[in-house]
Amino acid sequence: MTLIKTTYDRRSFIKVSTLSSGGMLLGFSWLASCKPDQVVNMPKEWFDINGFLKIADNGLVTIMSPNPEIGQNVKTSMPMIIAEELDVSWDQVTVEQAGFNIKKYTRQLAGGSQSIRQGWESLRMAGATARRMLMEAAAKQWDVPVAEVTTEEGVVKHGDKTIGYGEIAAVAATVTVPEEVELKDPKDFKIIGTPRKNVDGSKIVSGKPLFGLDTQREGMLIAMIEHPPAFGMKLKSLDSSSAKAMPGIHDVITINTSVPEGKEAQWSDTNAFNELVVVVGATTWQVMKAKKALKVSWEEESPPESTSDHIKSMYDLLGKNQKEPARLDGDPKKTFRNAAKVIERIYSAPFLAHNTLEPMNFFADVKEDQAELVGPVQTPEFMSKTASAVLGLPEEKISIMMTRMGGGFGRRLYGHFGIEAAIISQKVKAPVKLVYSREDDMTQGTYRPTYKVTYRAALDKNNNLIGFQVRGAGVHGSPVFANRFPAGAVDNYLAENHTLESNISTGAWRAPRSNFIAGAEQAFLDEVAEAAGKDPIEFRLELFERAINDPVGEDNDYDAKRYAGVLKLVREKSNWSQSTPGVYRGVSAYFCHNSYVAQVVDVVMKNNQPKVQKIWCAIDCGIVVNPEGARNQVEGGMVDGIGHAMYSEMTFKNGRPEQNNFDSYRLIRHREAPVEIETYFVDNGIDPTGLGEPSLPPIMGALANALAKATGERLYEQPFVGQAIELG
Amino acid sequence: MNSDQDGVNCKLFQKNNTQFMATYNLKINGQRKEVDADGDTPLLWVLREHLNLVGTKFGCGIAQCGACTVQVDGEAVRSCSLPISSIEDKSVVTIEGLSENGDHPVQKAWIEHDVPQCGYCQAGQIMNAAALLDQNPNPSDQEIDSAMNGNICRCGTYVRIKAAIKTAAAYQE
């Protein structure tokens, strides 16, 4: 049992009251103050439907899921945490998506694999506080000390006496919010740690409207944008006469989404094109056709860039020292000079588009004194601020409802499409749904930047790793994490970063930076192990031993024991020591988003083509809330990683994206997917850490290492398909 | 536009001298529906915006991703690239009409394997899988790969989809 201070702003309970039907609604606030605030008794006669959970008179519980759902399963797993501490049966629970309300819910953001980690304590508190209030209400009714009262699956108990949560809910709603609540001992968890199916599963498989693009409203118009055809270009002139004359077309306008001077722009406003042509009409097809009839001319705003320019510039950067290195341990220069063996390799990867299968879209209904925004956004908090700035409305007059998202992967952190929809609605004075075509979506990205990295390793005559250098370059930032492994495990270590500026917009893409550097690093370590004549797992474990027993430096980001733990687990589960003829194995291990992952990939040759036969994945992400959803995330992350390492790239010619749809941009498909995946979670009772991203980065390395064994060719440049490798 | 086809009502009218709109009588999920639309409007947008059947998804618009898959006379087709004028009197089944209560063996198997992540592609995957099993009740792994290869799942649920198709095949036996 853990005793924690509750952190609710008690003033938020002013509006809480009982339902006429006898239900209870708790309006929790997630303001982080731990100091007890003034306690306000709750009135009885009215309530505000904005709470965190409500209990009906029949004992059914509705839990509001605070965070945006992008397919990472939080709409199931976050309410599971509340239900656990509330002590109800999961069958009694229905889940609803909460709209944006940062005063009630902290961190309504989907990103960084942090929803569960950062929500863990406050979600438990939400359930535990409600449970305590139900217990106090029952204790008072029975005139017994609350310490003698217990609960079990939606029932309060004392001796032979029992009362259902629904029966006591009305009284519980009048109980003073406790200042301290007990949390369950994890060994008593009944819901957390048990597999639960996606709460939206039946709606998804029967095609119910769930997504932003499914929004339909009376009088709603459809809007589509036309943006410059190349990065570095802007609107010069527009002739919209033909388009305007087409059937169903309401108007053709131009908009500028820049945040007005004097107002603060948000990090999430990242977007290459602020001035856009907009076609507004009755139906999507009519608007799509009218877009083709637009006569737009564009002009150069900044010099156009091509992929060949980026490649050259990054090679140039890799040839330069960083004046003040990101990290320097020992004397790498001398070490490399005196080394018995030096291994040096360069790895690179292209820009990637997010390509959520649901293209960008948003609904907006902006009136003179208020605005309603509905759609897929990972960062409603920041959209609210920008919407307020561009619309000239106070934030409290803007409502944002997050729809289930047809994928996020970081793309919907950047909510410019919602801002565009809002401005369009304000201009045309009508409810509007903005729809991006796939081409609009892919050619106006916040792309994963293109990267290059040089690794150098120095071995002594006994094949010990005595020196390690990493120098990274990337558009808008280097991919190198200076304090991650093998920093801390090598005496002489140097990490350097270089940045290439660009007019191509980039942003977070599932496991930012890690999504490239992990694969490069793990492929490189494989070659170093080979050069040292060591088993790749043994080689890594030796380094972890060093980091455990005698770490170099103090600022190492990882826990070497947990790192080694997943590697040992995957070694055991995959029977690493046992070799099977015709099966080629690659291994990798990586730490990101606070979690540790190790993977073994088995490749077989079929008709002279490599096929990923099986993946073993061991992951340490602390307590796993929903093993069913967690396993699905881990599997998906690995398939995603294999697909992007193998096939995907965005290239540019004079600023113009050379891919604009799935005929030119390749994504992994059924036939190329691994045949089998086994996932193992480390059971250690540690508070949960990230899971949506960590399985993706290392798989690129494990795959490259397995393919190298299968084909004899080391792979340095993503996508690997460019090196004539195809998965069977 | 051929206005003499079966099932196409000939109430043609002209707008702006270039665009034709017509009334089409369609058979969707066993029901007759009358729709006024340009003949080149893809079935996808007719379903989504004229008939409010939004379970069929827009992904690419060029028949490359499979999110818009529906069945036309039992065949899995990409509705984003199928003009309404070509539907004639064919029978269209969408995800909303695959079963009355969401309990088609494929839908049940999808729940059993907890397949969806974001869920956006799954209606298309399900419609394709259901058509596959109608034609081949016991497909091999290779047959599944080959039939499903046109349906992209950006979240990477391919392994679960394959397992669910096998479970659905077993349910149907």
Side-chain angles (χ1 to χ4, degrees), chain A residues 96-107:
Chain A
E96 282 178 25
Q97 176 68 51
F100 169 65
N101 189 335
I102 206 66
K103 289 189 176 135
K104 286 200 190 76
Y105 314 107
T106 48
R107 201 182 179 279

Side-chain angles (χ1 to χ4, degrees), chain A residues 503-663:
Chain A
N503 60 15
I504 294 170
S505 45
T506 66
W509 190 103
R510 195 176 193 175
R513 297 156 68 201
S514 302
N515 58 36
F516 163 67
I517 206 72
E521 171 201 297
Q522 290 297 306
F524 181 65
L525 286 179
D526 214 59
E527 278 203 73
V528 178
E530 196 173 70
K534 292 178 184 172
D535 171 80
I537 292 184
E538 280 304 324
F539 174 71
R540 287 169 174 82
L541 288 175
E542 277 175 24
L543 293 172
F544 289 131
E545 278 304 307
R546 170 68 204 273
I548 292 166
N549 298 324
D550 182 19
V552 180
E554 285 166 7
D555 194 15
N556 299 319
D557 282 349
Y558 57 93
D559 177 334
K561 274 188 192 157
R562 292 177 77 181
Y563 224 139
V566 288
L567 203 47
K568 286 176 186 166
L569 181 60
V570 86
R571 179 173 65 177
E572 175 205 324
K573 295 295 181 188
S574 68
N575 264 321
W576 178 257
S577 56
Q578 199 173 39
S579 72
T580 311
V583 177
Y584 305 93
R585 318 192 95 178
V587 67
S588 68
Y590 200 65
F591 162 76
C592 63
H593 306 275
N594 318 94
S595 295
Y596 300 81
V597 176
Q599 293 156 343
V600 167
V601 167
D602 279 5
V603 163
V604 296
M605 295 301 284
K606 267 191 180 169
N607 309 319
N608 284 326
Q609 277 189 326
K611 179 154 192 71
V612 179
Q613 186 61 36
K614 186 156 182 180
I615 306 173
W616 284 268
C617 181
I619 180 159
D620 178 353
C621 57
I623 292 168
V624 176
V625 175
N626 181 9
E628 181 88 60
R631 208 161 258 127
N632 203 346
Q633 282 304 298
V634 171
E635 292 166 6
M638 295 191 292
V639 172
D640 193 359
I642 290 174
H644 283 90
M646 281 299 307
Y647 304 116
S648 309
E649 65 177 329
M650 281 302 292
T651 56
F652 300 87
K653 187 96 191 259
N654 295 320
R656 208 176 271 265
E658 293 184 293
Q659 297 76 24
N660 68 3
N661 206 323
F662 300 131
D663 51 348

Side-chain angles (χ1 to χ4, degrees), chain A residues 214 245 284 404 668-669, chain B residues 16 48-49 57 64 117 158:
Chain A
D214 301 342
T284 304
R404 184 177 190 87
I668 190 168
R669 292 175 180 271
Chain B
N16 297 330
R48 290 186 57 83
E49 296 186 351
K57 300 303 186 201
Q64 289 291 313
Q117 287 188 28
Y158 296 125

Side-chain angles (χ1 to χ4, degrees), chain A residues 70-71 196-198 201-202 204-209 211 213-214 216 222 245-248 282-286 288-289 353-359 404-407 409 433 435-439 509 611 628-629 631-633 635-637 639-640 644 661-663 667-671 673-675 677, chain B residues 15-16 18-19 21 38 40-42 45 48-50 52 54-62 64-65 67 80 95-96 98 101-102 107-108 110-123 125-126 141-142 144-162 165:
Chain A
I70 58 175
R196 304 290 170 168
K197 300 211 184 297
N198 190 325
S202 58
I204 291 168
V205 304
S206 55
K208 298 286 184 297
F211 300 92
L213 210 54
D214 301 342
Q216 303 276 16
I222 301 292
M246 289 179 71
T283 70
T284 304
W285 185 245
Q286 288 172 321
M288 279 179 172
K289 286 206 288 185
H354 293 83
N355 288 325
T356 62
L357 209 54
E358 180 194 19
R404 184 177 190 87
M405 281 172 250
F409 313 108
K433 180 167 68 179
V435 178
Y436 275 35
S437 68
R438 174 58 53 193
E439 291 81 4
W509 190 103
K611 179 154 192 71
E628 181 88 60
R631 208 161 258 127
N632 203 346
Q633 282 304 298
E635 292 166 6
V639 172
D640 193 359
H644 283 90
N661 206 323
F662 300 131
D663 51 348
L667 290 171
I668 190 168
R669 292 175 180 271
H670 279 271
R671 194 179 287 144
V675 178
I677 297 174
Chain B
K15 199 176 173 186
N16 297 330
T18 55
Q19 301 293 321
M21 204 175 250
D38 292 345
D40 62 354
T41 309
W45 296 111
R48 290 186 57 83
E49 296 186 351
H50 296 253
N52 203 21
V54 296
T56 305
K57 300 303 186 201
F58 169 54
C60 68
I62 58 165
Q64 289 291 313
C65 78
C80 74
I95 188 73
E96 291 91 345
L98 185 62
N101 303 309
Q107 289 167 311
K108 277 162 59 185
W110 244 246
I111 296 284
E112 173 61 28
H113 288 271
D114 205 35
V115 172
Q117 287 188 28
C118 86
Y120 194 76
C121 75
Q122 300 296 349
Q125 305 273 5
I126 288 168
D141 280 17
Q142 276 178 343
I144 294 173
D145 282 344
S146 146
M148 300 299 293
N149 215 45
N151 288 71
I152 290 172
C153 173
R154 179 63 186 81
C155 301
T157 64
Y158 296 125
V159 178
R160 280 173 189 248
I161 288 174
K162 190 179 283 174
I165 291 173

